[in-house]
Amino acid sequence: MLSKYHWWRDAVIYQVYVRSFLDSTGDGIGDLAGARAGLPYLKKLGVDGIWLSPFYLSPQHDHGYDVADYCDVDPLFGDLAEFDLLVAAARRLGIRVLLDIVPNHCSSEHPWFREALDSAPGGAARARFQFADGRGPDGCEPPNNWHAMFGGPAWTRVTEADGRPGQWYLHMFTPEQPDWNWRNPQVAAEFDRTLRFWLDRGVDGFRIDVAAGLFKHPDLPDSPDPEADARTRDSVNPLAWNQPEVHDVWRHWRAMCEEYTARDGRERLLVGEVSVPTAREHARYVRPDELHQAFFFDLLSAPWDPDAFHKVISEAMQDIAGTGSTVTWVLNNHDQVRTVTRYGEPAPGGSGLGAARARAAALLMLALPGAAYIYQGEELGLPEVVDLPDDVLTDPIFRRTGSRARIRDGCRVPLPWSGQASPFGFTSGAESAKPWLPQPEWFAEHATDRALADTRSFWHLYRDGLQLRTALPQLGEGPLRWLDAPPGVLAFVRGDDGDGFVCAVNFGTAPTPAPVSGTPLLSSGPCPAGVLPGSTAAWWINDR
């Protein structure tokens, strides 16, 4: 029988992208005090915890994923005292707090990297990073042919103290984000210190950025497909990602979390951003002594197709749940086009095919065994903002490539809270205060105050789904069994006896017979008894 401390196995966590959640100071940038002010809203929604995007000291070249000091708060977002208030307020509401930790790379303004630039080649300071001599005449060519995920070469050459061109350093994202050298024990020790700093301040765990990274092939050989990472915006290069040594790090971090759990019985969580080729490879990261969870991105990347959804869910249940962990489902995050747009036309009003499919996918995800992560604004049915002008874009992908393909600003536009015009209650400043990214006029249709007042809104669908997920014993953890269904329909039952709770999703546009004759307990759209309309999901309790 599971310990009562395994809260994370079927938890629903809400991702707070701090700079876009709620601004308390009037500068147009969300902050920790804004996150604290929003906690009652999240409690009402019914989530178990929050994951905070990086708020550490940073020059913000990649919105905080370029960390200059892992143990301090950037003044943009507040200070350590405000962070402590946030944790205390969350604790009172029963909401757990996860931090985003970035161990693959830091900022080029991190003191250790600045020390490395000032040091001679081969010295101890450079050994903390991936410095290497160049190839070709006078070392004028990069050490290998790797390309960065955000475009361009993965190497930048430095100027040495004597003014001559010198070594190169590796950065798998941008030149402002040099990669750590995890073969250096000083790096591991520094992250031990960082984790303990925040654990001692009461956090409940960490979301780990680029968790399949950290180690690179020790010989840094050429890649057979050097542009694969940039082309796919994914961790594809087998020489730069998913090296076997990374698992030792997660075993060590897991042991550290278990140490804290043993002190007070409050279990700390490690959830990894793991991008690997197969569910079987993914499962290696969630073995009993490694990460507790890892995001399963295959559901997020699956097209709106019943066979695709059936395949990724089945593989996850077989390979990941088979380790003893639970699958961590996700449909949206700060790096991906929002589901309303991804599944159909943009339809700013939220009444199109994309919105219907996004509602259905949400009910499907919340009915699956395991944990689920919700990205802020998902519960409001926000579409992607696709028409931001070039001069406001901040994504380093755009700066590096000049292309708008797969840029991430559109899903990061600050949330609308109230009112009919920007800033929609996002900032406490004057009416003329401007959010850091412009909000379109149609955001008014998705504002939180309107969503709360409309029982047909996305918000009420998520809230009702979360309430039932807590109340129904069949949901959360437990088995799943597929049912025979008409073409274009996925249906499954949940519960220890394989009977009782039924979820069905019609991926087509035409109505089909429902798998259960009665009126649904909850549905993503109008759903008469005995019928499952197109682009609709429904839940039933089957008493047969």
Side-chain angles (χ1 to χ4, degrees):
M1 184 173 179
L2 288 176
S3 163
K4 65 180 180 180
Y5 304 128
H6 293 312
W7 60 270
W8 49 270
R9 295 181 65 87
D10 59 358
V12 176
I13 306 296
Y14 185 97
Q15 181 186 355
V16 174
Y17 194 71
V18 176
R19 66 168 40 238
S20 296
F21 186 69
L22 186 59
D23 169 29
S24 72
T25 62
D27 64 356
I29 298 174
D31 46 50
L32 293 177
R36 177 161 60 94
L39 288 175
Y41 163 80
L42 298 178
K43 179 67 175 179
K44 188 173 184 178
L45 182 62
V47 300
D48 300 297
I50 57 173
W51 146 31
L52 299 170
S53 63
F55 52 79
Y56 316 111
L57 192 66
S58 166
Q60 303 295 319
H61 291 294
D62 189 19
H63 293 172
Y65 285 91
D66 50 322
V67 182
D69 187 339
Y70 289 85
C71 296
D72 201 1
V73 175
D74 195 291
L76 273 176
F77 306 120
D79 54 27
L80 285 170
E82 180 55 53
F83 173 80
D84 292 339
L85 290 174
L86 170 60
V87 172
R91 185 70 47 78
R92 288 193 297 270
L93 292 171
I95 295 175
R96 292 175 170 87
V97 178
L98 308 181
L99 304 192
D100 205 324
I101 195 74
V102 188
N104 179 74
H105 50 267
C106 66
S107 166
S108 55
E109 296 186 19
H110 190 286
W112 276 11
F113 189 72
R114 297 181 70 85
E115 181 186 355
L117 293 180
D118 292 338
S119 300
R126 290 200 176 180
R128 299 168 180 150
F129 299 91
Q130 299 280 354
F131 277 86
D133 295 329
R135 300 188 294 192
D138 298 320
C140 64
E141 297 176 7
N144 64 29
N145 66 353
W146 298 359
H147 279 232
M149 191 180 296
F150 289 175
W155 295 90
T156 290
R157 196 173 195 185
V158 304
T159 301
E160 303 295 356
D162 59 7
R164 291 184 298 178
Q167 287 190 306
W168 300 71
Y169 70 89
L170 180 69
H171 48 82
M172 293 305 298
F173 292 91
T174 73
E176 294 83 14
Q177 295 166 288
D179 280 34
W180 292 106
N181 175 17
W182 271 84
R183 300 183 192 280
N184 186 315
Q186 291 185 23
V187 174
E190 181 64 8
F191 276 93
D192 281 4
R193 183 184 74 86
T194 297
L195 264 61
R196 290 187 184 279
F197 177 86
W198 295 110
L199 288 169
D200 289 341
R201 298 191 92 92
V203 304
D204 295 283
F206 301 93
R207 176 265 187 187
I208 305 166
D209 189 59
V210 195
L214 279 61
F215 287 87
K216 280 63 180 173
H217 190 289
D219 299 329
L220 298 174
D222 279 346
S223 170
D225 187 2
E227 298 184 7
D229 288 357
R231 184 174 64 250
T232 62
R233 296 279 185 265
D234 205 354
S235 307
V236 176
N237 182 351
L239 304 168
W241 315 107
N242 200 24
Q243 298 296 300
E245 297 94 330
V246 76
H247 296 282
D248 290 332
V249 176
W250 308 140
R251 292 186 184 98
H252 178 69
W253 285 22
R254 178 66 175 262
M256 190 185 307
C257 287
E258 299 292 350
E259 172 193 329
Y260 277 80
T261 299
R263 294 181 189 177
D264 57 16
R266 186 163 57 88
E267 189 164 23
R268 276 60 165 193
L269 168 66
L270 297 173
V271 55
E273 181 196 30
V274 173
S275 183
V276 289
T278 65
R280 183 167 297 179
E281 193 67 31
H282 180 111
R284 296 185 61 213
Y285 286 81
V286 293
R287 290 176 289 195
D289 62 344
E290 294 195 36
L291 302 179
H292 299 81
Q293 295 177 329
F295 295 123
F296 185 63
F297 293 122
D298 290 30
L299 188 66
L300 181 153
S301 60
W304 183 253
D305 176 84
D307 293 335
F309 271 63
H310 186 285
K311 179 177 184 293
V312 299
I313 293 169
S314 296
E315 289 179 351
M317 293 302 299
Q318 174 182 321
D319 294 326
I320 299 170
T323 66
S325 181
T326 53
V327 185
T328 305
W329 308 102
V330 57
L331 290 170
N332 294 271
N333 65 33
H334 64 293
D335 288 331
Q336 302 295 331
V337 173
R338 290 184 179 274
T339 49
V340 171
T341 301
R342 203 165 71 237
Y343 290 153
E345 74 281 3
S351 59
L353 186 62
R357 290 172 171 176
R359 290 170 65 94
L363 279 197
L364 170 64
M365 178 180 71
L366 294 177
L368 292 171
Y373 280 66
I374 297 170
Y375 176 51
Q376 65 180 43
E378 179 180 340
E379 82 284 6
L380 301 175
L382 282 179
E384 189 85 353
V385 182
V386 298
D387 55 355
L388 292 167
D390 286 358
D391 61 355
V392 305
L393 296 178
T394 61
D395 193 330
I397 295 174
F398 180 72
R399 297 199 307 268
R400 296 271 292 169
T401 67
S403 170
R404 299 175 69 99
R406 302 190 186 185
I407 60 172
R408 302 162 296 168
D409 288 303
C411 67
R412 299 176 177 184
V413 176
L415 294 184
W417 288 89
S418 61
Q420 298 298 315
S422 183
F424 297 109
F426 165 73
T427 176
S428 62
E431 287 297 318
S432 60
K434 292 184 178 181
W436 69 277
L437 280 175
Q439 300 160 306
E441 292 181 3
W442 51 261
F443 256 36
E445 302 173 40
H446 301 273
T448 299
D449 60 350
R450 181 177 294 194
L452 291 171
D454 182 1
T455 57
R456 300 165 300 175
S457 69
F458 266 81
W459 191 91
H460 280 274
L461 178 71
Y462 273 79
R463 196 277 306 270
D464 293 348
L466 291 175
Q467 286 186 339
L468 287 171
R469 184 180 166 99
T470 299
L472 295 176
Q474 299 96 327
L475 293 183
E477 278 200 76
L480 173 153
R481 179 170 61 83
W482 295 107
L483 294 174
D484 291 334
V489 174
L490 284 186
F492 56 85
V493 294
R494 297 289 315 280
D496 291 335
D497 59 358
D499 195 34
F501 175 91
V502 177
C503 175
V505 185
N506 185 350
F507 283 76
T509 56
T512 67
V516 179
S517 59
T519 301
L521 191 64
L522 181 64
S523 61
S524 62
C527 192
V531 177
L532 185 60
S535 306
T536 300
W539 294 358
W540 294 264
I541 294 295
N542 186 8
D543 297 325
R544 59 178 179 168

